[in-house]
């Protein structure tokens, strides 16, 4: 499993990812990408056997914030936008340079745009775990509506742990079980947890290596 | 307690989940039972929790591992409820599922004994 959204590495290093069945983890940067920190983490990860990649999550209050975020696109493997307003959401889904919309509660028109531009939606486990009672059930209903739109517009969904310490990490089996309880089929849950995150990282690495110009178009040699 | 005879076809199919606990502090068996049941109840509600027929079979505090029994039909829900446990008695906690099996003997041989060696 590849965990796109966790801030464990920069805080705690590399705690027992393998025992949780996590083979790849993102080094999460919030709002600004620090290349030195990423290089240090990458160097430290060589012995751990963990495949790490850079993830930039940008909080966007307005559409201008998304445009600023896109300037960092070429430096990071995964670009996530945490859209906090409908306009920011629209701007994020209009760009094919954005990979994932984090903590997403998407509306119908944005879902159609996201589908055209291959922008995925994130279901963050930490969001679920920090709530209880009626607030958690309201969150579930929003996630279920997102699933409905994702099925209609053939959107990809990424399920992430959102962990900030090793106690926030979960096994792929547990994540899949939770996704199934939320209403996904077994195949959908497997794709959201196991397959799509890895595909996304590999696709972006191919693009960054310069061999792939665009999906389906490669340079000679 | 009176034991009712049940036809083999009507018998409940059990699944035994072996688990490991990672926690900041030591946690007692009583605390684990109450937290597992609470998490199941909060995730699925009273009606959903009744389908699971959850029961803690054993817990070894030395290795922080144990076995939980549940109904075959509610296996996914029980594993999902394990994922929602974050805190037991004030210490941060996470559950790790070691494996699932159909008998206690096989669960012990396959998952717990291997771990305890």
């Amino acid at each position: 499993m590849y965990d796109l959204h966790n801030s464990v590495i920069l805080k705690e290093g590399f705690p027992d990812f393998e025992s949780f069945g996590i083979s790849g983890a993102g080094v999460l940067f919030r709002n600004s990408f620090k290349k030195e920190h990423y290089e240090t983490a990458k160097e430290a990860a060589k012995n751990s056997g963990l495949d790490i990649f850079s993830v930039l999550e940008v909080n966007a209050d307005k559409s201008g914030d998304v445009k600023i975020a896109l300037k960092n696109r070429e430096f990071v493997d995964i670009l996530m936008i945490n859209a906090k307003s409908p306009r920011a959401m629209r701007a994020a889904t209009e760009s094919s340079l954005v990979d994932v919309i984090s903590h997403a509660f998407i509306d119908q028109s944005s879902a159609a745009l996201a589908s055209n531009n291959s922008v995925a939606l994130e279901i963050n486990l930490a969001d679920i775990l920090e709530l209880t009672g009626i607030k958690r059930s309201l969150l579930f209903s929003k996630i279920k509506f997102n699933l409905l739109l994702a099925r209609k517009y053939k959107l990809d969904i990424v399920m992430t742990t959102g962990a900030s310490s090793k106690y926030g990490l979960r096994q792929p089996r547990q994540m899949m079980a939770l996704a199934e309880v939320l209403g996904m089929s077994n195949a959908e849950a497997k794709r959201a947890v196991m397959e799509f995150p890895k595909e996304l990282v590999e696709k972006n690495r191919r693009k960054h290596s310069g061999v792939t110009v665009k999906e389906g178009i490669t340079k000679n040699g | 307690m009176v034991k009712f005879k049940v036809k083999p076809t009507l018998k409940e199919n059990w699944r035994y989940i072996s688990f490991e606990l990672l926690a900041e502090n030591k946690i007692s068996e009583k605390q684990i039972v109450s937290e597992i049941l609470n998490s199941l109840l909060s995730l699925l509600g009273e009606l959903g929790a009744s389908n699971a027929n959850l029961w803690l079979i054993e817990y070894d505090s030395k290795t922080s591992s144990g076995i939980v029994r549940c109904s075959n039909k509610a296996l996914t829900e029980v594993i999902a409820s394990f994922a929602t446990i974050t805190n037991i008695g004030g210490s941060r906690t996470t559950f790790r599922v070691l494996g699932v099996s159909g008998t206690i003997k096989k669960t012990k041989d396959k998952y717990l004994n291997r771990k305890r060696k």
Side-chain angles (χ1 to χ4, degrees):
Chain A
M1 173 182 133
Y2 272 53
D3 191 10
L4 297 189
H5 196 162
N6 77 62
S7 45
V8 180
I9 291 173
L10 285 181
K11 283 182 183 171
E12 295 183 1
F14 302 93
D16 230 4
F17 276 101
E18 211 171 278
S19 66
F20 283 95
I22 299 172
S23 54
V27 182
L28 183 73
F29 295 92
R30 291 217 163 86
N31 294 322
S32 62
F33 176 62
K34 293 177 180 107
K35 200 177 179 186
E36 317 84 61
H37 291 201
Y38 177 57
E39 292 297 335
T40 317
K42 212 174 174 183
E43 201 61 38
K46 273 180 185 169
N47 301 323
S48 68
L50 190 75
D51 183 13
I52 68 163
F53 46 89
S54 54
V55 181
L56 176 65
E57 186 191 20
V58 179
N59 292 331
D61 293 315
K62 49 189 189 292
S63 57
D65 294 340
V66 177
K67 283 176 190 165
I68 294 167
L70 293 179
K71 288 177 185 168
N72 287 310
R73 171 67 272 197
E74 57 186 289
F75 307 115
V76 292
D77 292 320
I78 304 285
L79 179 64
M80 283 184 176
I81 302 287
N82 182 7
K84 299 202 166 175
S85 71
R87 288 196 171 193
M89 171 72 76
R90 188 65 67 85
T93 50
E94 274 173 354
S95 172
S96 57
L97 296 174
V98 176
D99 294 312
V100 180
I101 296 187
S102 61
H103 316 281
F105 303 120
I106 204 164
D107 57 6
Q108 196 152 0
S109 48
S110 299
L113 283 170
S115 172
N116 290 337
N117 295 311
S118 314
V119 181
L121 301 182
E122 184 204 20
I123 297 176
N124 194 323
L125 189 66
D127 290 346
I128 298 170
L129 297 183
E130 70 188 20
L131 298 176
T132 52
I134 190 69
K135 284 187 178 172
R136 189 187 273 182
S137 70
L138 288 173
L139 178 71
F140 282 161
S141 63
K142 284 179 180 173
I143 290 173
K144 281 181 179 175
F145 181 64
N146 273 1
L147 284 178
L148 202 79
L149 290 176
R151 281 201 192 109
K152 183 175 164 97
Y153 293 103
K154 296 190 174 66
L155 286 175
D156 278 307
I157 288 180
V158 191
M159 190 119 179
T160 59
T161 60
S164 52
S165 76
K166 68 175 180 179
Y167 298 104
L169 296 174
R170 294 291 181 275
Q171 293 171 305
R173 183 179 207 162
Q174 290 177 318
M175 304 274 284
M176 276 174 64
L178 204 63
E180 283 180 48
V181 168
L182 287 173
M184 286 190 195
S185 67
N186 187 272
E188 285 171 336
K190 194 176 177 188
R191 179 154 177 78
V193 175
M194 312 273 283
E195 292 164 7
F196 181 70
K198 194 177 179 184
E199 273 175 28
L200 190 63
V201 172
E202 283 171 357
K203 189 182 90 179
N204 283 350
R205 276 184 180 157
R206 278 201 302 276
K207 268 189 194 174
H208 283 182
S209 66
V211 179
T212 305
V213 181
K214 207 180 170 186
E215 199 66 1
I217 305 169
T218 52
K219 278 182 188 172
N220 286 336
Chain B
M1 205 174 119
V2 184
K3 272 197 171 181
F4 296 104
K5 278 190 175 177
V6 187
K7 281 183 179 176
T9 50
L10 295 176
K11 263 188 181 175
E12 186 97 60
N13 278 315
W14 299 117
R15 286 292 175 270
Y16 298 91
I17 306 170
S18 60
F19 65 89
E20 189 189 15
L21 202 70
L22 294 178
E24 284 177 323
N25 305 322
K26 279 233 161 187
I27 289 164
S28 69
E29 193 174 326
K30 210 174 175 183
Q31 285 175 310
I32 289 174
V33 172
S34 91
E35 192 56 43
I36 287 173
L37 293 175
N38 278 338
S39 69
L40 191 73
L41 211 59
S42 70
L43 186 68
L44 305 175
E46 288 167 350
L47 204 63
S50 71
N51 296 332
N53 266 328
L54 197 68
W55 198 255
L56 183 73
I57 301 285
E58 69 164 57
Y59 177 69
D60 183 0
S61 57
K62 280 181 193 165
T63 55
S64 307
S65 57
I67 300 173
V68 157
R69 186 188 74 183
C70 73
S71 167
N72 173 28
K73 287 167 193 161
L75 180 65
T76 310
E77 285 83 351
V78 171
I79 292 175
S81 78
F82 280 1
T84 61
I85 295 171
T86 53
N87 196 313
I88 301 179
S91 73
R92 289 186 296 171
T93 313
T94 180
F95 266 74
R96 204 158 51 190
V97 176
L98 299 173
V100 180
S101 185
T103 60
I104 296 178
K105 186 174 181 283
K106 247 198 274 179
T107 315
K108 281 182 181 171
D109 289 348
K110 242 178 151 179
Y111 306 111
L112 293 186
N113 289 350
R114 192 191 297 163
K115 188 182 173 303
R116 282 168 193 168
K117 274 173 195 172

